[in-house]
């Protein structure tokens, strides 16, 4: 899988990012404590939910990302796959969000954050992901979707420009990691093409580059509401940020909280 090569950079990339976790926790507590994460990665958000007392299933297509998630869970006292610690359980499943089938059918809360739904690059595929989530939720269960709010004018202005998006020191390898980013946009197709190059500069002078290229299909608010309705949801809230601010055209995020009808 293309994201297997990205797995070892994932936690460095997200090392300081916690913006979404309070809202996810708040919504999980309101819905009930049986949760499902679509595209769980290395467990960045899944682990805080488990620690908060939730029963959580995480799915992802990348075996390498899931392996890191299992390791992190074990380091915090939770073994992989199915684990019980008092009222807390966690399960990781390798699956595609557009066509998964789980034994759990009374889930209280499903969520997909960090633009992950955008990796499904057709409207039909995104609808399938919503329908899969809907089938696994109980009646009245909640779905949280977190996407970037597309600023097409900005994306067109920076199209093709390479920028140094981030850098950090890797504690395991000793390398300095430079993250280079290049983006282009096709507004008509609602696609952003992204290329990340992770450049590792090692203490001995070696330089290794890992390239990750992928498209993201973004939503407009009305399209998101329409797809959610077609999938069997009613939109409860539309936020422009994780603090619950109402969505505005210039908001940074596009965050839906929808309820299974």
């Amino acid at each position: 899988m293309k994201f297997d090569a990205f797995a070892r950079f994932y936690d460095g990339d997200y090392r300081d990012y916690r913006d979404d976790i309070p809202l996810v926790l708040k919504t999980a507590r309101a819905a009930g404590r049986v949760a499902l994460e679509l595209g769980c990665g290395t467990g960045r958000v899944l682990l805080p939910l488990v620690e908060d007392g939730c029963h959580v299933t995480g799915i992802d297509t990348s075996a390498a990302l899931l392996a890191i998630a299992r390791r992190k869970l074990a380091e915090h006292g939770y073994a992989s796959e199915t684990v019980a610690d008092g009222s807390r359980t966690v399960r990781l499943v390798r699956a595609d969000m557009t066509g998964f089938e789980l034994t759990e059918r009374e889930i209280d809360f499903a969520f997909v954050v960090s633009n992950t739904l955008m990796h499904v690059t057709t409207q039909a595929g995104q609808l399938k992901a919503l329908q899969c989530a809907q089938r696994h939720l109980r009646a009245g269960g909640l779905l949280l979707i977190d996407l970037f709010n597309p600023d097409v004018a900005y994306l067109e202005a920076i199209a093709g420009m390479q920028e140094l998006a981030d850098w950090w020191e890797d504690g395991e390898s000793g390398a300095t990691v430079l993250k280079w980013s290049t983006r282009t946009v096709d507004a008509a197709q609602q696609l952003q093409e992204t290329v990340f190059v992770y450049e590792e500069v090692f203490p001995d002078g070696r330089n290794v580059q890992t390239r990750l290229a992928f498209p993201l299909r973004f939503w407009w608010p009305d399209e998101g509401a329409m797809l959610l309705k077609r999938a069997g949801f009613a939109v409860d809230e539309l936020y422009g940020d994780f603090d619950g601010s109402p969505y505005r055209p210039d908001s940074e995020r596009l965050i839906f909280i929808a309820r299974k009808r």
Side-chain angles (χ1 to χ4, degrees):
M1 299 300 294
K2 64 181 177 181
F3 288 104
D4 285 356
F6 167 62
R8 62 195 183 92
F9 303 109
Y10 188 100
D11 285 335
D13 221 340
Y14 281 93
R15 67 197 179 281
D16 297 324
Y17 188 67
R18 305 284 187 278
D19 295 2
D20 50 359
I21 292 174
L23 180 60
V24 172
L25 287 172
K26 177 183 176 181
T27 311
R29 292 165 185 161
R33 292 183 177 267
V34 180
L36 166 66
E37 181 173 11
L38 310 180
C40 65
T42 67
R44 179 185 66 84
V45 183
L46 182 148
L47 180 56
L49 279 174
V50 175
E51 293 180 323
D52 196 58
C54 293
H55 303 261
V56 188
T57 298
I59 69 169
D60 204 287
T61 58
S62 170
L65 288 170
L66 289 173
I68 295 172
R70 291 188 182 97
R71 185 187 72 199
K72 288 165 63 176
L73 287 164
E75 289 170 353
H76 286 79
Y78 310 107
S80 60
E81 297 308 332
T82 305
V83 175
D85 179 16
S87 63
R88 293 174 287 187
T89 60
V90 57
R91 188 160 79 102
L92 301 177
V93 178
R94 187 178 179 189
D96 188 316
M97 72 174 73
T98 66
F100 62 93
E101 291 292 337
L102 305 175
T103 56
E104 300 92 331
R105 289 290 183 173
E106 290 293 318
I107 292 169
D108 299 312
F109 171 53
F111 64 101
V112 53
V113 294
S114 301
N115 308 322
T116 302
L117 183 62
M118 291 180 172
H119 289 290
V120 181
T121 56
T122 66
Q123 185 184 86
Q126 291 175 341
L127 178 59
K128 286 181 180 179
L130 300 180
Q131 291 169 330
C132 279
Q134 196 266 4
R135 286 198 302 270
H136 288 80
L137 286 168
R138 64 168 174 80
L142 297 181
L143 172 67
L144 184 154
I145 301 172
D146 160 44
L147 310 171
F148 72 71
N149 186 37
D151 183 342
V152 172
Y154 171 74
L155 292 173
E156 289 178 339
I158 66 168
M161 295 173 55
Q162 186 179 67
E163 60 177 350
L164 180 60
D166 198 2
W167 71 274
W168 63 90
E169 301 292 336
D170 187 309
E172 291 188 12
S173 69
T176 299
V177 182
L178 307 175
K179 178 186 175 183
W180 300 95
S181 174
T182 307
R183 294 178 173 88
T184 58
V185 64
D186 183 337
Q189 296 296 319
Q190 295 171 227
L191 289 175
Q192 174 186 285
E193 296 285 344
T194 302
V195 177
F196 290 155
V197 176
Y198 295 90
E199 180 181 2
E200 296 171 275
V201 182
F202 291 89
D204 63 5
R206 286 182 299 124
N207 184 299
V208 177
Q209 296 187 2
T210 302
R211 184 179 185 273
L212 177 67
F214 55 91
L216 295 172
R217 184 181 188 275
F218 50 81
W219 276 6
W220 306 118
D222 286 350
E223 180 192 21
M226 178 271 293
L227 290 175
L228 284 162
K229 182 177 180 180
R230 287 181 61 188
F233 290 96
V235 176
D236 280 1
E237 305 287 351
L238 179 58
Y239 297 141
D241 209 336
F242 296 109
D243 61 4
S245 302
Y247 171 81
R248 298 174 15 157
D250 62 350
S251 295
E252 182 176 343
R253 308 302 300 173
L254 182 61
I255 303 169
F256 288 89
I257 297 181
R259 186 177 303 272
K260 179 176 177 176
R261 298 198 305 263

